[in-house]
Amino acid sequence: MLGQNYIAGEWTNGTSEIENRNPSDLTDLVGTFGQASADQLEASLDQARVAQVEWAAYGMERKQAVLNAIGNELMARAEELGTLLSREEGKPIAEGKGEVYRAGQFFTYYAAECLRQLGENADSVRDGVEVDVRREAVGVVAIISPWNFPTATASWKIAPALCYGNAVLWKPANITPASAVALTEIISRQDIPKGLFSLVMGSGRDIGQRIVESPKVNAISFTGSVPVGKGIAMAAIQNLTKVQMEMGSKNALAVMDDADLDIAVAIAQAGAFGSTGQKCTATSRLVVHEAIHDQFVERLVAGAKGIKVGHALEAGIGMGPVVSEQQLNENLAYADLGRSEGAELVCGGARLEMPHDGFYMSPGVFLNTTNDMRINREEMFAPLTSVIKVGSYDEALSVVNDTNFGLTSGIATKSLARATHFRRNARTGVVTVNLPTAGTDYHVPFGGRGDSSYGPREQGKAAAEFYTTVKTAYISAGTPL
Ligand code: NDP
């Protein structure tokens, strides 16, 4: 089935194929992958409609067993599937394995949630009538996922979608099809109705656009860029399709004068350069108090220069390549833009020549930046971070909040009072204290404000809001209660 789509319960050839190459070594062909046709999409949607009704009627323990089996297999095969993920996406192998293991945890978490679907019961305002409020599946859910966490992002959407009784049609990013086929292969072997789950690969502009315009789709969960997200919302509204979108951000870490510098430097570096900066939660602005600015910068720059960039599957590397040539060119353009705006690129931000032909770039730090520069306002998705010097905590908070986005923010401080004030006043969906802006748990809500997110939160119990619809039933016993 390598390279095939999973259409209406059958592994099926595409109508054309794309090549998928390892960004760490372009001579390494990961595979060729079929592009689904419009007819295959229609067949998947039609079968999904039928399968969803059957799946919703499965007992809760039967659904739980399916989700547990998927999750346990992902965790057991984290080494093998993490290696495949790193090979096609370029993140260091430890991160690849960690991602697949985490994907498994999403399934086992929602396996347990299958048993926790309690509703509400109330007396009616009318005598002799009771009210029962329960959640039911939305129907056919389209999941459109990005390449940067190809297995985890898809899993934190697929697991709750199935848990709450929906059918799933998954369009992964075309840059990371191998991970998508691997996850689908596991799901396809489970005790699920034929066609409940479909894998429909193809470019976003072609098959993706058809999906979001289809009246056969009841809900769309999307993670990706802001412009594409806005386009999806416009298309979805034509059919009044429910949407949930997690998009970009411009996350800031405030480093205060009382911060533990070891912690501050470590979390800044992890947040800025982890996964080559290709995270929606990446730390791209470092808002640093002037009293410790020089010490912090000296250590941060030394740390960035010390990051070993290399082939994702090589032991001991700190950062892999950028995912694609297009993304690398955009990153290099941002490095040039920063310089032209007056920022000082003190290290990195350049293409690296390595023994393997790949999309390598050195981690870069901009100094002397102001928050109105484009490099501090636009999502770069690059191993580039900017330092913005401030004179006080109040100024730091105001810079952190001065953005169109609002996904994550963090503060490095030893002061409980400042940490508490920051937690309450940072205008982001996620706030961290003495921790990187990246790195979240699976049992609690995830999402942001402003241009970062739209619609209900993802993950944890919050996911029920999107993947279910509420039904209110009025019951009369025929006689007064
Ligand atoms: P996109 O938003 O273009 O892609 C995300 C997903 O949407 C992919 O599966 C893509 O398919 C699909 N898609 C694209 N166009 C459409 C459409 N018209 N209708 C339906 N689906 C569509 O992000 P990119 O991958 O191009 O990355 C560009 C930038 O987006 C990055 O540099 C980064 O700034 C941001 N981004 C943010 C992410 C986040 O986690 N917040 C994740 C990824 C990107 P396909 O790729 O196959 O064309």
Side-chain angles (χ1 to χ4, degrees):
M1 94 254 336
L2 183 64
Q4 291 183 311
N5 287 277
Y6 192 55
I7 303 294
E10 304 283 351
W11 288 102
T12 310
N13 286 330
T15 48
S16 60
E17 286 189 335
I18 54 156
E19 277 192 350
N20 179 21
R21 288 191 179 270
N22 179 347
S24 297
D25 177 359
L26 298 174
T27 63
D28 177 19
L29 180 65
V30 180
T32 53
F33 293 86
Q35 305 286 279
S37 67
D39 288 348
Q40 290 171 339
L41 169 62
E42 290 304 311
S44 297
L45 289 171
D46 290 341
Q47 186 62 30
R49 169 87 35 225
V50 177
Q52 189 272 320
V53 176
E54 199 184 326
W55 173 246
Y58 267 38
M60 53 169 66
E61 285 183 334
R62 201 168 162 195
K63 289 199 197 82
Q64 181 201 28
V66 167
L67 269 69
N68 263 333
I70 299 168
N72 289 334
E73 184 166 342
L74 282 167
M75 290 188 275
R77 293 175 60 196
E79 168 107 28
E80 171 207 345
L81 298 181
T83 304
L84 177 67
L85 192 163
S86 290
R87 192 173 152 216
E88 76 169 347
E89 198 272 350
K91 64 183 63 176
I93 179 120
E95 292 183 33
K97 285 186 215 165
E99 176 174 341
V100 172
Y101 194 86
R102 172 52 61 95
Q105 291 174 310
F106 280 110
F107 280 96
T108 54
Y109 172 81
Y110 283 104
E113 284 302 298
C114 289
L115 303 183
R116 291 200 195 100
Q117 298 184 36
L118 297 178
E120 291 172 41
N121 185 269
D123 286 342
S124 166
V125 295
R126 286 167 280 174
D127 288 347
V129 176
E130 263 190 287
V131 187
D132 170 75
V133 182
R134 53 184 291 122
R135 288 183 177 272
E136 295 184 356
V138 177
V140 177
V141 178
I143 288 172
I144 300 181
S145 57
W147 45 263
N148 60 331
F149 283 90
T151 307
T153 304
S155 297
W156 81 54
K157 297 174 189 291
I158 295 168
L162 294 180
C163 164
Y164 296 113
N166 300 285
V168 171
L169 181 121
W170 180 25
K171 196 216 86 64
N174 238 359
I175 308 185
T176 46
S179 299
V181 171
L183 176 55
T184 303
E185 193 276 325
I186 295 174
I187 296 173
S188 72
R189 282 189 273 105
Q190 307 306 323
D191 165 29
I192 55 173
K194 185 177 160 69
L196 179 77
F197 184 92
S198 292
L199 173 69
V200 179
M201 297 186 286
S203 86
R205 262 172 300 155
D206 173 18
I207 209 80
Q209 191 64 31
R210 286 180 191 276
I211 292 169
V212 300
E213 288 175 359
S214 173
K216 297 177 183 173
V217 171
N218 302 110
I220 302 164
S221 183
F222 165 81
T223 298
S225 63
V226 176
V228 171
K230 285 185 177 172
I232 288 177
M234 301 290 277
I237 201 69
Q238 303 306 317
N239 296 313
L240 301 179
T241 305
K242 199 171 181 182
V243 281
Q244 170 187 64
M245 296 190 297
E246 205 271 291
M247 297 167 286
S249 198
K250 202 65 203 168
N251 312 298
L253 174 70
V255 181
M256 290 297 93
D257 47 344
D258 64 352
D260 178 318
L261 270 192
D262 288 340
I263 292 175
V265 171
I267 64 178
Q269 188 170 313
F273 305 125
S275 299
T276 322
Q278 298 169 148
K279 287 183 183 175
C280 50
T281 51
T283 310
S284 54
R285 294 181 297 147
L286 293 162
V287 183
V288 183
H289 195 288
E290 61 191 6
I292 46 99
H293 176 272
D294 293 354
Q295 290 164 276
F296 174 82
V297 162
E298 188 184 332
R299 292 169 67 168
L300 177 77
V301 171
K305 285 181 178 167
I307 292 175
K308 189 173 173 210
V309 180
H311 191 298
L313 303 186
E314 207 177 289
I317 64 145
M319 204 176 92
V322 172
V323 73
S324 66
E325 183 154 33
Q326 184 188 333
Q327 189 70 42
L328 175 61
N329 288 337
E330 285 171 22
N331 296 355
L332 297 173
Y334 272 117
D336 287 342
L337 174 70
R339 278 186 290 244
S340 72
E341 289 186 299
E344 185 190 351
L345 186 59
V346 277
C347 67
R351 184 164 195 162
L352 289 175
E353 294 307 323
M354 306 289 275
H356 305 287
D357 185 15
F359 305 123
Y360 296 100
M361 176 174 177
S362 48
V365 178
F366 286 116
L367 297 184
N368 301 322
T369 78
T370 54
N371 202 44
D372 57 356
M373 291 177 177
R374 277 180 58 198
I375 53 164
N376 285 330
R377 303 213 75 81
E378 298 171 15
E379 181 174 57
M380 297 190 280
F381 236 54
L384 293 169
T385 193
S386 299
V387 176
I388 304 168
K389 196 195 280 189
V390 292
S392 66
Y393 165 75
D394 288 342
E395 190 187 349
L397 178 62
S398 131
V399 169
V400 168
N401 283 337
D402 179 13
T403 171
N404 293 335
F405 295 103
L407 187 56
T408 71
S409 60
I411 186 166
T413 181
K414 287 188 196 138
S415 157
L416 179 61
R418 275 180 179 167
T420 306
H421 188 273
F422 188 85
R423 267 199 299 131
R424 294 193 177 180
N425 292 283
R427 287 198 290 270
T428 50
V430 176
V431 185
T432 64
V433 177
N434 295 320
L435 288 166
T437 60
T440 55
D441 289 356
Y442 51 89
H443 64 304
V444 286
F446 175 68
R449 303 183 188 183
D451 285 356
S452 291
S453 298
Y454 184 77
R457 288 282 188 270
E458 302 199 69
Q459 304 183 22
K461 286 185 183 300
E465 192 58 41
F466 178 72
Y467 292 102
T468 63
T469 182
V470 171
K471 179 179 279 175
T472 310
Y474 295 89
I475 310 110
S476 167
T479 53
L481 289 175

